Amino acid sequence: MTNYATSSCKRQAIVNKEDPSQLPDCHSTSSMRPPGQEVCEEASRRENNDTVHVNHLPVEVLCQIFEMAIHRHYYIISHNVLREYLTVRWDPRAAPFNLLHVCRYWRAIAQTTSSLWTSLSGRQDLPHSPRISTMKYCLEQSLSAPLDLFLSHTDHRTTSDPLHANKMLQLFATEAHRWRSLAIGLNSDLAEDFIALLQEYGADRKFLSLEQLEINAACPETLLRTLMSLIPVLKSLRRLYWNHQAVVHPPLRLPWNQLHFVYIDTPLSPQDTLSYMSQCSCATSITFMDVRKSSGPQGSPLTFKAPIISLSNLKTLRLRGKGNPVSLLPYFFLPNLEGLEIYAVHPPPCQYLALEIFLERSRCPLRRIRVHNHPRVRDEDIIQFFQIPHLAPIPSVEMAGYCVHAQLLEILLEHAGARLIFPRLLAWGGLSREHYVGWKDLEQSEHLEYSYKDGKLRSGLPSIVIP
């Protein structure tokens, strides 16, 4: 994390303004000594004693310690997709506020280290919710540093001020030119204010630094369409998370071609998913979380011919939905894809033929592939998946499911050609209820259940008996 610490002269000025009667004396007066004298005394101390008082540490190190103290009191209240939107627990007994009352030296450093004051939340229904006056103080202390903001509409059942979030938004808007990331939960009232803000400030290009935007919307489609029409004014936007659980009639007019990170969690048809994904020419990571099942033959998502679309920058792709999201893959050429995850709910039979076609065409340098069928994977799908020849060089291949390990064990014991179909396999579990089969380097939180190699089964757990 970057420190925006000011010079020692400015810190000295702040220290001199403090009222000594309000703060305990500091053990160190090094900030008031000439630099040469401080260096000599520091060298002398280290010759005589290996221990160094905390206030004799370099200012940069002390700043890092302060930031670690703040992180201990953070809540993760975002969906945590783009980044951890860490928001301070606004408790006067916790950092950074308690740092102001230790001594004049600490107070000076804390007040002039703007990175301690840049991750801000206007959410009111958390313990020790921030007040408008507190947010004003933090904005002042953050100087000119980029801001990471979280804001959510107020639950009327948990607060006496239903417009608290709207007031916070207006306060944050005074520093719109410093917004680096914004996670915002919208109801109708807050959406109207946010739209007005984009209309007013977007035309003046005041959002010059906004790179990440996370929107969780619970408002009518008319407001969503207006909001989407204004997102393109954010010319610096590179990472977008969009969550709206009701169906929005296409098209979603978002600036697809300027985004590097795309995460869309709203119901979409396979045709619309194909259309939007094809516009993500700069994206390195794409996720579509709710691809709805088509009424086409055998659950096929697309019933028309389309040209092959090349996305040369894409490295990570996640597709999740009802039906057969994997059948979107043959429409793409992804030569640099490194990670692929497919989550299918009630998929049709023989779905992995589309995956084999895609891998044959793209020859991408995949490092990890995971497929998940819900609620249950078919035996024939397990066999079809592991027969794909292009899986062999991939370091991490995972098929996930609640009973997939038991199904595979039954296939290995009963299938006559198991040795040819499955040259090497592992079955393992983790912290969740899901089980996995495939191969990878297991993590510390994962446990091996059994392994299969060259026709031989070996148990990884005493509770599993392999005949």
Side-chain angles (χ1 to χ4, degrees):
M1 185 178 294
T2 304
N3 291 322
Y4 295 88
T6 59
S7 66
S8 59
C9 295
K10 185 169 182 181
R11 292 192 187 119
Q12 181 60 53
I14 294 177
V15 171
N16 291 339
K17 290 181 182 178
E18 298 297 341
D19 181 2
S21 65
Q22 301 300 318
L23 298 167
D25 288 334
C26 179
H27 290 291
S28 170
T29 58
S30 60
S31 60
M32 303 180 187
R33 297 171 183 169
Q37 180 182 353
E38 182 179 348
V39 172
C40 293
E41 292 183 0
E42 179 70 14
S44 177
R45 273 194 305 272
R46 293 188 178 181
E47 285 183 5
N48 299 323
N49 191 348
D50 290 337
T51 62
V52 179
H53 190 276
V54 65
N55 287 334
H56 296 150
L57 292 172
V59 172
E60 293 76 11
V61 174
L62 198 56
C63 291
Q64 292 289 336
I65 294 173
F66 288 176
E67 289 176 349
M68 292 172 66
I70 291 176
H71 286 206
R72 293 180 60 197
H73 298 284
Y74 277 168
Y75 288 111
I76 300 176
I77 54 179
S78 161
H79 284 258
N80 198 22
V81 176
L82 300 184
R83 62 182 292 275
E84 291 184 353
Y85 282 92
L86 300 175
T87 56
V88 174
R89 179 188 181 199
W90 299 106
D91 184 348
R93 298 166 297 179
F97 299 105
N98 62 354
L99 301 176
L100 305 177
H101 301 284
V102 175
C103 63
R104 289 178 296 172
Y105 182 58
W106 280 32
R107 184 183 185 94
I109 292 179
Q111 286 182 323
T112 55
T113 304
S114 57
S115 57
L116 302 180
W117 310 93
T118 56
S119 195
L120 308 178
S121 169
R123 184 170 176 174
Q124 192 181 28
D125 55 347
L126 290 175
H128 306 289
S129 299
R131 300 178 181 178
I132 297 291
S133 58
T134 307
M135 287 293 97
K136 286 182 178 179
Y137 178 81
C138 293
L139 289 174
E140 292 172 358
Q141 301 306 123
S142 64
L143 304 176
S144 59
L147 299 173
D148 299 311
L149 307 174
F150 180 90
L151 191 60
S152 182
H153 63 86
T154 305
D155 188 342
H156 294 189
R157 296 169 297 179
T158 59
T159 180
S160 58
D161 185 2
L163 297 178
H164 174 82
N166 304 66
K167 295 174 183 177
M168 282 290 185
L169 179 62
Q170 295 304 316
L171 174 62
F172 290 158
T174 61
E175 301 292 334
H177 63 285
R178 292 202 284 138
W179 290 11
R180 176 171 56 189
S181 63
L182 172 66
I184 186 167
L186 298 172
N187 61 2
S188 295
D189 290 339
L190 192 56
E192 290 177 355
D193 282 4
F194 188 50
I195 287 170
L197 182 63
L198 289 176
Q199 289 172 333
E200 178 184 357
Y201 286 10
D204 297 335
R205 298 179 62 85
K206 290 188 177 180
F207 295 102
L208 298 177
S209 303
L210 187 61
E211 300 174 357
Q212 302 180 160
L213 179 62
E214 177 178 331
I215 292 179
N216 296 278
C219 51
E221 182 178 344
T222 53
L223 289 176
L224 282 176
R225 291 202 163 277
T226 303
L227 177 58
M228 280 188 286
S229 69
L230 295 169
I231 300 298
V233 306
L234 305 174
K235 300 301 182 183
S236 59
L237 187 66
R238 295 295 179 265
R239 299 167 67 85
L240 176 66
Y241 175 99
W242 185 279
N243 178 15
H244 181 252
Q245 293 306 307
V247 176
V248 178
H249 294 90
L252 301 182
R253 300 189 183 279
L254 296 170
W256 304 103
N257 60 355
Q258 75 181 51
L259 299 174
H260 295 174
F261 180 102
V262 179
Y263 191 108
I264 306 298
D265 191 358
T266 193
L268 295 173
S269 70
Q271 291 86 349
D272 292 330
T273 304
L274 175 62
S275 173
Y276 302 145
M277 185 173 163
S278 66
Q279 299 175 55
C280 300
S281 55
C282 295
T284 59
S285 177
I286 295 176
T287 299
F288 286 96
M289 290 294 291
D290 197 358
V291 182
R292 293 297 173 96
K293 186 176 181 179
S294 173
S295 57
Q298 296 184 359
S300 174
L302 300 171
T303 57
F304 61 88
K305 292 184 178 180
I308 303 302
I309 302 157
S310 178
L311 300 176
S312 59
N313 294 308
L314 190 61
K315 294 185 179 297
T316 304
L317 174 62
R318 296 176 65 200
L319 296 173
R320 175 173 179 152
K322 297 179 180 178
N324 193 12
V326 72
S327 59
L328 286 167
L329 293 177
Y331 292 88
F332 291 93
F333 175 65
L334 310 177
N336 295 305
L337 191 68
E338 297 177 359
L340 175 63
E341 185 172 337
I342 304 292
Y343 190 110
V345 180
H346 298 294
C350 303
Q351 59 173 318
Y352 294 120
L353 177 61
L355 176 61
E356 185 172 0
I357 294 172
F358 163 74
L359 293 176
E360 171 66 30
R361 178 191 298 120
S362 290
R363 301 292 178 116
C364 42
L366 276 172
R367 306 294 301 169
R368 178 177 182 267
I369 181 170
R370 173 185 283 188
V371 296
H372 187 142
N373 289 1
H374 182 80
R376 187 178 184 273
V377 61
R378 302 178 183 86
D379 289 354
E380 57 267 29
D381 287 335
I382 297 176
I383 296 173
Q384 183 190 36
F385 177 72
F386 286 107
Q387 280 184 313
I388 297 175
H390 297 288
L391 294 182
I394 301 175
S396 178
V397 175
E398 305 172 44
M399 174 175 276
Y402 293 119
C403 299
V404 66
H405 64 309
Q407 290 176 254
L408 177 62
L409 181 60
E410 185 176 343
I411 294 172
L412 293 175
L413 294 174
E414 297 182 1
H415 198 286
R419 185 170 182 174
L420 299 176
I421 299 173
F422 310 105
R424 60 182 177 115
L425 277 178
L426 303 176
W428 68 92
L431 298 178
S432 66
R433 294 174 55 193
E434 288 188 338
H435 295 268
Y436 305 88
V437 296
W439 56 84
K440 60 171 290 191
D441 292 331
L442 298 187
E443 299 176 4
Q444 198 169 22
S445 60
E446 297 171 326
H447 57 269
L448 179 68
E449 295 178 339
Y450 63 83
S451 63
Y452 180 84
K453 186 177 181 180
D454 298 329
K456 296 181 179 179
L457 275 167
R458 292 181 176 85
S459 176
L461 292 175
S463 59
I464 296 180
V465 179
I466 297 176

